[in-house]
Amino acid sequence: MGPRRSTLSRTVVLMFCGLLAAGCGVFPEAPAQDDRQSDGDHSDHDAAHSGSVPQRYDVEVLETRPHDPDAFTQGFEIAGDILYEGTGLVGRSSLRATDPVTGEVLDQVDLPSPLFGEGITVVDDRVWQLTWQNNVALLRDRDTLAELDRFEYPGEGWGICHDGTRLVMSDGTDQLQFRDPESFALLGSVRVRQEGEPRHQLNELECVDGQVWSNVWFSDDILRIDPDSGEVTGVVDATGLLPPEQRPGADVLNGIAAIPDTDEFLLTGKHWPSTFRVRFVPSE
């Protein structure tokens, strides 16, 4: 793909915003950040160190669709016929219900300062929305987008998805956390390894058919992760996705939404003017 690799650190982005300390269908079958520990009695499982080589994929672009270039995309998920999008930056964070084809914003709620919106996921008639360093997850009504409740958590919030049973959450490290979709209680965690080495900065997540797909911040890679072992079983190379003429003003790749009942995804990025309907194909 072609997202521009941003030269700004997350801290610089926040300083630009005036802050001092403030970022499922049928799919390819999986082959046969710091060392935070889980709270309380929950066990923390290390990823397999087998060093097995992940399947490599390229991106086949099927269609280009409009996307709001003002959206600092943090969460991206299709439920029903709605594409839900969470955006970030203090004073500009929001949750939106959009048309997945036209990009039209059908409904939107803004987060009050100093909340910095992060990943989102839909669970039945509700939407979970993380915040970056504000230590709260917002529980919202799916139809109205209104806030219903807040739940506290330690550390940072980056990406989140729902695997049908539990929430899977990233915090910018090499760790995926598992949380209860009702209480947001921590259930456990796993560390992510690719060929035995840790993968950090796991960002926006998408749960698909028992696997977790993850954007990697400052990277054109999209990882497919086995959540039980933490092993990276696939790597999508999205280099060149964003055309050169659309790169000015665009930031990093960050937005992956599975299109239900297909083997396709929608991909976008922070401040990207386009969303791409794609299929992941094995590299030759």
Side-chain angles (χ1 to χ4, degrees):
M1 76 188 179
R4 176 176 62 83
R5 295 197 180 199
S6 173
T7 58
L8 297 178
S9 68
R10 185 169 282 237
T11 301
V12 172
V13 171
L14 293 171
M15 290 177 66
F16 176 78
C17 300
L19 301 176
L20 295 178
C24 283
V26 181
F27 298 90
E29 183 177 356
Q33 306 173 323
D34 55 43
D35 294 331
R36 294 189 183 102
Q37 301 294 316
S38 299
D39 295 336
D41 296 329
H42 304 298
S43 59
D44 190 4
H45 304 287
D46 286 333
H49 291 265
S50 63
S52 57
V53 178
Q55 172 69 55
R56 295 282 173 167
Y57 294 95
D58 295 322
V59 176
E60 177 186 2
V61 177
L62 305 174
E63 182 184 8
T64 301
R65 300 175 175 179
H67 180 251
D68 181 4
D70 290 333
F72 193 77
T73 305
Q74 303 284 55
F76 213 53
E77 185 171 313
I78 297 174
D81 58 356
I82 299 296
L83 172 62
Y84 294 89
E85 180 170 9
T87 71
L89 301 177
V90 174
R92 296 173 59 187
S93 295
S94 69
L95 176 64
R96 306 174 177 192
T98 72
D99 184 310
V101 176
T102 68
E104 177 187 1
V105 178
L106 306 174
D107 196 7
Q108 176 175 330
V109 293
D110 297 328
L111 278 66
S113 296
L115 297 184
F116 188 121
E118 281 280 352
I120 64 161
T121 193
V122 177
V123 182
D124 299 325
D125 60 351
R126 299 165 299 163
V127 181
W128 284 100
Q129 183 173 26
L130 300 178
T131 59
W132 179 33
Q133 293 183 326
N134 307 108
N135 310 118
V136 293
L138 310 179
L139 183 62
R140 297 185 177 278
D141 180 88
R142 176 176 166 182
D143 291 330
T144 67
L145 307 185
E147 183 179 331
L148 301 175
D149 207 346
R150 295 188 181 193
F151 296 80
E152 295 184 355
Y153 57 86
E156 297 183 358
W158 285 42
I160 191 169
C161 64
H162 182 240
D163 68 3
T165 303
R166 59 191 177 176
L167 299 172
V168 184
M169 173 181 165
S170 61
D171 62 3
T173 71
D174 63 342
Q175 179 176 251
L176 292 178
Q177 300 176 11
F178 307 116
R179 292 184 174 273
D180 186 278
E182 298 294 330
S183 66
F184 211 70
L186 184 64
L187 304 176
S189 63
V190 68
R191 287 185 168 83
V192 175
R193 298 292 183 266
Q194 180 178 337
E195 298 182 64
E197 297 298 321
R199 288 301 305 256
H200 297 271
Q201 297 185 316
L202 306 173
N203 208 350
E204 211 268 325
L205 305 180
E206 185 80 350
C207 292
V208 185
D209 293 341
Q211 301 292 295
V212 177
W213 297 83
S214 175
N215 290 139
V216 180
W217 194 44
F218 280 118
S219 170
D220 293 336
D221 287 347
I222 298 171
L223 307 182
R224 184 183 61 204
I225 304 165
D226 180 340
D228 294 327
S229 67
E231 183 176 3
V232 174
T233 61
V235 179
V236 179
D237 181 5
T239 302
L241 180 59
L242 190 68
E245 63 271 17
Q246 295 187 17
R247 291 177 185 169
D251 208 297
V252 297
L253 171 74
N254 197 52
I256 176 170
I259 301 177
D261 303 318
T262 75
D263 62 349
E264 302 168 5
F265 293 88
L266 293 182
L267 301 181
T268 195
K270 303 174 188 290
H271 296 316
W272 282 25
S274 297
T275 294
F276 300 91
R277 181 169 66 89
V278 307
R279 181 182 291 120
F280 301 149
V281 296
S283 302
E284 296 183 358

